[in-house]
């Protein structure tokens, strides 16, 4: 019997199975980055307008655009429209914009962390940053600390918690050979469980339902507290982080080949990993400070984007923020309307979507981290 040898780059576990070429496959030719970005930007604008108008009180797209134009361009509205205008401009617009900003940031941070540790399962949760931010927010909310920050005390606690978790993970993972990806991931996973245990203790020891609701908010995520005051800071941090990571695109491509190969090509992986760790921690802390910890976005979005545009980090870091923004806008809308007037936690919806999507990716023959 003649043995069938698969072509280079193709692995077949069972020779009796049909070849990959006979099965439906995802497109492997990267789409044009500019075209994809323009299309996604248009989809994001349309999605934002629809999400701003939809909710318990439904406002049509035409009226929504008119109210937005009145707020931005200084137009006039009728006295009987003041309530609807306030719903659009004061409540929903900052919330939808915050959802877009956080979605974009989580998508980019997921790309950076997966490249940094060369692990397809990596995201801010894996490295303990999100859990640390949640602990900081819960501690401030329950204990009443950081009152000097006023209404932003809880957000400040979340940001400081993220930075503290980052420092702790780095110090524990550090060894004589530097910070290796494996030690970084294992340390982050262990500390994530530790942070979750701390939050459970807080719920157990603090009487009343306040601690429970606070922990639920910071572990499952919500944009219900979005305001125009909290939006500029996180938007600036996320935008600056996206630009900075885009500048590291070539280095991320090289580092994905391994530390030894990267060193031979002039890239100091250990130094780059430290810089990326700090940058992603700052971005994650800023996002968790205003939205709580939202899972699966930073895990699934990078994989979907790599399938569509390829593994080149210049393309991935251009498309991932747009895909993440569109995704999070619709997730937030679903959280508001599926069980109105009550809101579902964002983490519930992202998990219900992310789990089957990720399982589908894992079962796809030929799919590996960074592409086929």
């Amino acid at each position: 019997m003649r043995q069938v040898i698969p072509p280079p780059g193709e692995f077949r576990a069972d020779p009796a199975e049909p070849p990959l070429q006979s099965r439906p496959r995802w497109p492997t030719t990267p789409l044009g980055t500019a075209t994809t970005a323009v299309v996604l930007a248009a989809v994001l604008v349309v999605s934002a307008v629809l999400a701003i108008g939809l909710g318990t009180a439904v406002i049509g797209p035409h009226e929504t655009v008119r109210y937005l134009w009145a707020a931005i361009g200084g137009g006039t509205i009728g006295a009987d429209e003041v309530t609807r205008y306030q719903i659009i401009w004061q409540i929903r617009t900052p919330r939808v914009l915050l959802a877009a900003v956080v979605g974009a940031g989580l998508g980019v941070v997921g790309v950076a962390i997966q490249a940094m540790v060369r692990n397809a399962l990596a995201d801010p949760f894996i490295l303990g940053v999100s859990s640390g931010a949640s602990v900081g927010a819960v501690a401030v909310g329950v204990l009443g600390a950081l009152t000097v920050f006023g209404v932003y005390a809880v957000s400040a606690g979340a940001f400081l918690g993220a930075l503290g978790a980052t420092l702790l993970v780095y110090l524990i993972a550090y060894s004589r050979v530097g910070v290796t990806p494996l030690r970084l991931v294992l340390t982050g996973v262990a500390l994530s469980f530790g942070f979750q245990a701390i939050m459970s203790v807080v719920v157990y020891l603090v009487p009343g339902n306040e601690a429970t609701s606070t922990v639920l908010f910071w572990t499952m995520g919500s944009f219900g507290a979005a305001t125009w005051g909290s939006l500029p800071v996180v938007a600036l941090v996320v935008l600056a982080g996206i630009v900075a990571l885009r500048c590291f695109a070539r280095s991320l491509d090289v580092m994905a080949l391994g530390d030894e190969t990267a060193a031979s090509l002039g890239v100091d992986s250990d130094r780059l990993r430290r810089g990326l760790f700090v940058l992603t921690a700052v971005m994650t802390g800023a996002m968790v400070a205003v939205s709580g910890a939202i899972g699966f976005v930073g895990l699934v979005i990078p994989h979907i984007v790599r399938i569509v545009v390829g593994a080149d980090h210049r393309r991935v870091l251009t498309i991932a923020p747009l895909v993440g923004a569109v995704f999070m806008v619709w997730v937030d809308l679903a959280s508001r309307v599926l069980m109105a007037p009550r809101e579902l936690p964002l983490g519930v919806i992202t998990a219900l979507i992310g789990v089957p999507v990720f399982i589908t990716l894992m079962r796809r023959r030929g799919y590996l981290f960074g592409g086929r």
Side-chain angles (χ1 to χ4, degrees), residues 89-293:
W89 183 249
Q90 298 295 338
I91 300 176
R92 292 183 184 171
T93 300
R95 175 170 183 151
V96 171
L97 292 180
L98 183 62
V101 168
V102 171
L106 289 176
V108 168
V109 168
V111 172
I113 291 179
Q114 288 175 8
M116 178 176 65
V117 300
R118 300 199 302 276
N119 191 313
L121 295 177
D123 71 347
F125 277 93
I126 293 295
L127 297 185
V129 179
S130 294
S131 299
S134 299
V135 168
V138 170
V140 171
V142 173
L143 301 178
L146 300 180
T147 55
V148 66
F149 291 99
V151 295
Y152 300 107
V154 176
S155 297
F159 186 73
L160 294 176
L163 295 184
T166 301
L167 179 61
L168 188 59
V169 170
Y170 180 83
L171 291 177
I172 296 176
Y174 186 81
S175 65
R176 289 178 297 176
V177 296
V179 180
T180 62
L182 180 59
R183 290 177 63 91
L184 201 59
V185 171
L186 293 178
T187 304
V189 170
L191 289 183
S192 293
F193 282 106
F195 293 141
Q196 292 172 11
I198 293 175
M199 287 188 288
S200 299
V201 171
V202 171
V203 174
Y204 181 77
L205 294 180
V206 177
N209 295 325
E210 181 179 354
T212 304
S213 60
T214 302
V215 170
L216 180 63
F217 171 83
W218 289 103
T219 54
M220 301 300 289
S222 172
F223 297 119
T227 63
W228 284 112
S230 61
L231 181 61
V233 175
V234 64
L236 181 62
V237 171
V238 169
L239 179 60
I242 292 174
V243 173
L245 290 173
R246 185 65 171 71
C247 295
F248 287 121
R250 284 296 188 188
S251 298
L252 290 175
D253 287 335
V254 174
M255 190 169 65
L257 301 175
D259 290 0
E260 294 79 7
T261 304
S264 66
L265 295 175
V267 175
D268 187 343
S269 296
D270 191 53
R271 181 179 179 181
L272 178 60
R273 191 171 289 115
R274 287 198 302 267
L276 291 173
F277 194 33
V278 173
L279 179 58
T280 55
V282 171
M283 293 177 65
T284 302
M287 290 184 289
V288 174
V290 295
S291 65

Side-chain angles (χ1 to χ4, degrees), residues 50-115:
L50 293 176
I52 291 173
L54 296 176
T56 305
V58 179
I59 301 175
H62 177 74
E63 287 186 273
T64 300
V65 173
R66 185 164 63 88
Y67 292 149
L68 292 174
W69 180 255
I72 298 173
T76 59
I77 58 173
D80 59 332
E81 298 178 301
V82 172
T83 301
R84 294 160 68 86
Y85 169 80
Q86 290 178 340
I87 291 175
I88 290 294
W89 183 249
Q90 298 295 338
I91 300 176
R92 292 183 184 171
T93 300
R95 175 170 183 151
V96 171
L97 292 180
L98 183 62
V101 168
V102 171
L106 289 176
V108 168
V109 168
V111 172
I113 291 179
Q114 288 175 8

